Each structure stands twice: as C-alpha cells, then as structure tokens.
C-alpha cells in the first residue's frame, strides 16, 4: 500500500475554528490520525483532530488571482464596514403634540436612537 499525504487540522477549544497545523504521511486515514495525534497534540489538549487526504482538497492556483479581485473592490461586504459609531442626523423627531423635539440619529443599519 502506498503512502499518501494527509493535512492535519486541530480544534483546541469548543467554539474555536479548525486550524491547520501541518501534515503527515501514512498509508491510510486511521494511521494518519494516530500519527497526527502523536505529532501535533500529544502534549496539548484539543477538542477535535481532523486528517484530510491532500488529494481531497481543492484550491485555486496563484494564477487564478483574477477570481478574487472583484471581491476586493466591495468594501461594504466586509464585517467592519458599518460601525455603530457611524451615525448621521436625519432631522428633528416629531413630538406627540406635533412640535419638533430632539434630533433622531439613524445608524447606517437602520436602527433609530
């Protein structure tokens, strides 16, 4: 049986993302899991350990960089684009009796304060 390369991912605490820690060479997934355990988490506590055959991973080549350029120009898709501190005034708030009172502030997300 020929050896294959397995990529190793570890989750250290519940709720954490899986982190790539390295790779091992083994003839099958069971032996790869044992080798990964001995190599990467023998002295560290972890919640989960994954081994994935490198041949099962699909990735873009550096030549395919053009596929990612369109996403870079759309800042509004980033989580930090809108912040709670960015507010703009939308005018005075009407009082129940029809008189104008304090000014409302609306965040870009649409919440009124």
């Amino acid at each position: 049986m020929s050896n294959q390369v397995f990529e190793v991912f570890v989750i250290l605490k519940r709720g954490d993302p899986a982190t790539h820690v390295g790779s091992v060479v083994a003839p099958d997934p069971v032996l790869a899991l044992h080798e990964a355990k001995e190599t990467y988490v023998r002295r560290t506590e972890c919640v989960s350990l994954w081994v994935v055959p490198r041949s099962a991973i699909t990735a873009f080549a550096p030549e395919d960089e053009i596929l990612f350029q369109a996403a870079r120009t759309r800042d509004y898709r980033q989580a930090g684009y809108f912040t709670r501190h960015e507010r703009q005034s939308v005018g005075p708030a009407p009082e129940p009796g029809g008189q104008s009172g304090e000014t409302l502030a609306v965040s870009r997300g649409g919440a009124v304060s």
Side-chain angles (χ1 to χ4, degrees), residues 1 12 16 18 25 31 34 51 56 63 66 71 85 89 99 106 113:
M1 189 175 230
L12 296 175
D16 283 354
V25 177
L31 287 175
H34 288 290
V51 292
E63 304 82 61
I66 190 79
H85 303 291
S89 179
Q99 301 172 3
V106 178
S113 61

Side-chain angles (χ1 to χ4, degrees), residues 5-51:
V5 179
F6 291 84
E7 298 302 326
V8 181
F9 298 86
V10 173
I11 299 176
L12 296 175
K13 295 185 297 189
R14 290 198 188 282
D16 283 354
T19 304
H20 181 260
V21 292
S23 56
V24 294
V25 177
D28 61 58
V30 174
L31 287 175
L33 188 60
H34 288 290
E35 181 68 25
K37 179 179 175 257
E38 287 298 313
T39 304
Y40 297 107
V41 294
R42 181 172 53 168
R43 293 185 176 107
T44 308
E45 291 184 22
C46 75
V47 174
S48 186
L49 179 66
W50 302 351
V51 292

Side-chain angles (χ1 to χ4, degrees), residues 19 27 30 51 57 61 65 67 69 73-74 80-81 90 93 95 97 105-106:
T19 304
V30 174
V51 292
I57 297 173
E65 182 181 354
L67 297 171
Q69 286 180 351
T73 61
R74 298 185 179 131
Y81 184 74
V90 295
E95 289 186 2
V106 178

Side-chain angles (χ1 to χ4, degrees), residues 87 104-107 110-113:
R87 296 177 178 263
L104 286 178
V106 178
S107 70
V112 178
S113 61

